[in-house]
mmCIF file of all heavy atoms in Angstrom:
data_model
loop_
_atom_site.group_PDB
_atom_site.id
_atom_site.type_symbol
_atom_site.label_atom_id
_atom_site.label_comp_id
_atom_site.label_asym_id
_atom_site.label_seq_id
_atom_site.Cartn_x
_atom_site.Cartn_y
_atom_site.Cartn_z
ATOM 1 N N LYS A 89 -5.696 -21.981 1.810
ATOM 2 C CA LYS A 89 -5.067 -20.996 2.682
ATOM 3 C C LYS A 89 -4.355 -19.982 1.821
ATOM 4 O O LYS A 89 -3.583 -20.340 0.919
ATOM 5 C CB LYS A 89 -4.050 -21.714 3.615
ATOM 6 C CG LYS A 89 -3.429 -20.788 4.642
ATOM 7 C CD LYS A 89 -4.344 -20.569 5.824
ATOM 8 C CE LYS A 89 -3.933 -19.384 6.698
ATOM 9 N NZ LYS A 89 -4.524 -18.094 6.251
ATOM 10 N N GLY A 90 -4.584 -18.720 2.104
ATOM 11 C CA GLY A 90 -3.924 -17.650 1.365
ATOM 12 C C GLY A 90 -4.645 -16.347 1.624
ATOM 13 O O GLY A 90 -5.787 -16.332 2.091
ATOM 14 N N GLY A 91 -3.969 -15.260 1.298
ATOM 15 C CA GLY A 91 -4.441 -13.940 1.694
ATOM 16 C C GLY A 91 -5.561 -13.379 0.839
ATOM 17 O O GLY A 91 -6.001 -13.969 -0.147
ATOM 18 N N GLN A 110 0.516 -20.026 -4.296
ATOM 19 C CA GLN A 110 0.277 -20.341 -2.881
ATOM 20 C C GLN A 110 0.246 -21.856 -2.647
ATOM 21 O O GLN A 110 0.659 -22.323 -1.581
ATOM 22 C CB GLN A 110 -1.054 -19.703 -2.463
ATOM 23 C CG GLN A 110 -1.243 -19.543 -0.970
ATOM 24 C CD GLN A 110 -0.532 -18.334 -0.391
ATOM 25 O OE1 GLN A 110 -0.621 -17.242 -0.949
ATOM 26 N NE2 GLN A 110 0.176 -18.512 0.693
ATOM 27 N N LYS A 113 3.920 -22.898 -2.318
ATOM 28 C CA LYS A 113 4.504 -22.240 -1.143
ATOM 29 C C LYS A 113 4.036 -22.947 0.128
ATOM 30 O O LYS A 113 4.826 -23.286 1.012
ATOM 31 C CB LYS A 113 4.050 -20.772 -1.131
ATOM 32 C CG LYS A 113 4.591 -19.969 0.012
ATOM 33 C CD LYS A 113 3.900 -18.623 0.171
ATOM 34 C CE LYS A 113 3.834 -17.825 -1.109
ATOM 35 N NZ LYS A 113 3.443 -16.424 -0.874
ATOM 36 N N LYS A 125 -6.546 -17.904 -2.700
ATOM 37 C CA LYS A 125 -6.293 -16.464 -2.638
ATOM 38 C C LYS A 125 -7.601 -15.756 -2.945
ATOM 39 O O LYS A 125 -8.467 -16.303 -3.637
ATOM 40 C CB LYS A 125 -5.240 -16.061 -3.675
ATOM 41 C CG LYS A 125 -4.567 -14.738 -3.400
ATOM 42 C CD LYS A 125 -3.399 -14.885 -2.452
ATOM 43 C CE LYS A 125 -2.760 -13.558 -2.116
ATOM 44 N NZ LYS A 125 -1.461 -13.722 -1.443
ATOM 45 N N VAL A 161 -9.365 -20.642 4.849
ATOM 46 C CA VAL A 161 -8.915 -19.723 5.905
ATOM 47 C C VAL A 161 -8.113 -18.567 5.296
ATOM 48 O O VAL A 161 -6.905 -18.676 5.086
ATOM 49 C CB VAL A 161 -8.047 -20.480 6.954
ATOM 50 C CG1 VAL A 161 -7.645 -19.557 8.105
ATOM 51 C CG2 VAL A 161 -8.778 -21.703 7.481
ATOM 52 N N ALA A 163 -6.380 -14.617 4.935
ATOM 53 C CA ALA A 163 -5.506 -13.779 5.768
ATOM 54 C C ALA A 163 -5.294 -12.475 4.997
ATOM 55 O O ALA A 163 -6.083 -12.157 4.099
ATOM 56 C CB ALA A 163 -4.180 -14.502 6.010
ATOM 57 N N GLY A 164 -4.250 -11.737 5.323
ATOM 58 C CA GLY A 164 -3.988 -10.456 4.644
ATOM 59 C C GLY A 164 -3.082 -10.609 3.433
ATOM 60 O O GLY A 164 -2.467 -11.637 3.206
ATOM 61 N N ASP A 165 -3.029 -9.552 2.641
ATOM 62 C CA ASP A 165 -2.077 -9.408 1.527
ATOM 63 C C ASP A 165 -2.066 -7.899 1.256
ATOM 64 O O ASP A 165 -2.422 -7.110 2.154
ATOM 65 C CB ASP A 165 -2.527 -10.232 0.304
ATOM 66 C CG ASP A 165 -1.471 -10.265 -0.799
ATOM 67 O OD1 ASP A 165 -0.470 -10.971 -0.642
ATOM 68 O OD2 ASP A 165 -1.624 -9.563 -1.823
ATOM 69 N N THR A 193 -6.523 -15.730 9.601
ATOM 70 C CA THR A 193 -5.286 -15.541 10.363
ATOM 71 C C THR A 193 -4.785 -14.114 10.157
ATOM 72 O O THR A 193 -5.270 -13.402 9.273
ATOM 73 C CB THR A 193 -4.201 -16.567 9.968
ATOM 74 O OG1 THR A 193 -3.955 -16.426 8.566
ATOM 75 C CG2 THR A 193 -4.630 -17.979 10.287
ATOM 76 N N ARG A 205 2.862 -12.981 13.764
ATOM 77 C CA ARG A 205 2.329 -13.104 12.401
ATOM 78 C C ARG A 205 2.590 -11.830 11.588
ATOM 79 O O ARG A 205 2.983 -11.930 10.424
ATOM 80 C CB ARG A 205 0.832 -13.470 12.394
ATOM 81 C CG ARG A 205 0.203 -13.478 10.981
ATOM 82 C CD ARG A 205 0.899 -14.469 10.055
ATOM 83 N NE ARG A 205 0.493 -14.407 8.654
ATOM 84 C CZ ARG A 205 1.068 -13.652 7.710
ATOM 85 N NH1 ARG A 205 2.087 -12.840 8.016
ATOM 86 N NH2 ARG A 205 0.651 -13.705 6.456
ATOM 87 N N ASN A 349 5.279 -11.608 -4.216
ATOM 88 C CA ASN A 349 4.955 -12.745 -5.071
ATOM 89 C C ASN A 349 5.216 -12.379 -6.519
ATOM 90 O O ASN A 349 4.658 -11.391 -7.018
ATOM 91 C CB ASN A 349 3.478 -13.120 -4.884
ATOM 92 C CG ASN A 349 3.231 -13.804 -3.549
ATOM 93 O OD1 ASN A 349 3.886 -14.794 -3.217
ATOM 94 N ND2 ASN A 349 2.309 -13.272 -2.758
ATOM 95 N N ASN A 375 9.257 -16.061 0.815
ATOM 96 C CA ASN A 375 8.247 -15.316 1.591
ATOM 97 C C ASN A 375 7.256 -16.250 2.285
ATOM 98 O O ASN A 375 6.205 -15.811 2.762
ATOM 99 C CB ASN A 375 7.547 -14.241 0.738
ATOM 100 C CG ASN A 375 6.584 -14.804 -0.305
ATOM 101 O OD1 ASN A 375 5.938 -15.823 -0.091
ATOM 102 N ND2 ASN A 375 6.455 -14.110 -1.437
ATOM 103 N N GLY A 378 5.337 -16.057 6.163
ATOM 104 C CA GLY A 378 4.060 -15.432 6.529
ATOM 105 C C GLY A 378 2.960 -16.466 6.629
ATOM 106 O O GLY A 378 2.304 -16.614 7.673
ATOM 107 N N VAL A 379 2.797 -17.226 5.562
ATOM 108 C CA VAL A 379 1.730 -18.238 5.602
ATOM 109 C C VAL A 379 2.116 -19.345 6.582
ATOM 110 O O VAL A 379 1.254 -19.974 7.205
ATOM 111 C CB VAL A 379 1.417 -18.779 4.180
ATOM 112 C CG1 VAL A 379 2.481 -19.730 3.675
ATOM 113 C CG2 VAL A 379 0.059 -19.453 4.178
ATOM 114 N N SER A 382 0.934 -18.208 9.757
ATOM 115 C CA SER A 382 -0.527 -18.337 9.710
ATOM 116 C C SER A 382 -0.931 -19.767 10.057
ATOM 117 O O SER A 382 -1.898 -20.003 10.789
ATOM 118 C CB SER A 382 -1.061 -18.008 8.314
ATOM 119 O OG SER A 382 -1.235 -16.624 8.170
HETATM 120 O O1 LIG B 502 -1.001 -15.978 5.751
HETATM 121 C C1 LIG B 502 -1.682 -16.319 4.812
HETATM 122 O O2 LIG B 502 -2.554 -17.156 4.848
HETATM 123 C C2 LIG B 502 -1.516 -15.674 3.451
HETATM 124 C C3 LIG B 502 -0.161 -15.242 3.084
HETATM 125 C C4 LIG B 502 -0.157 -14.863 1.647
HETATM 126 O O3 LIG B 502 -1.131 -14.354 1.122
HETATM 127 C C5 LIG B 502 0.997 -15.178 0.833
HETATM 128 O O4 LIG B 502 1.803 -16.005 1.248
HETATM 129 O O5 LIG B 502 1.120 -14.620 -0.271
#
Side-chain angles (χ1 to χ4, degrees):
K89 185 81 195 88
Q110 199 80 46
K113 181 192 309 193
K125 200 85 183 193
V161 184
D165 188 75
T193 58
R205 175 59 188 91
N349 287 306
N375 72 34
V379 75
S382 276

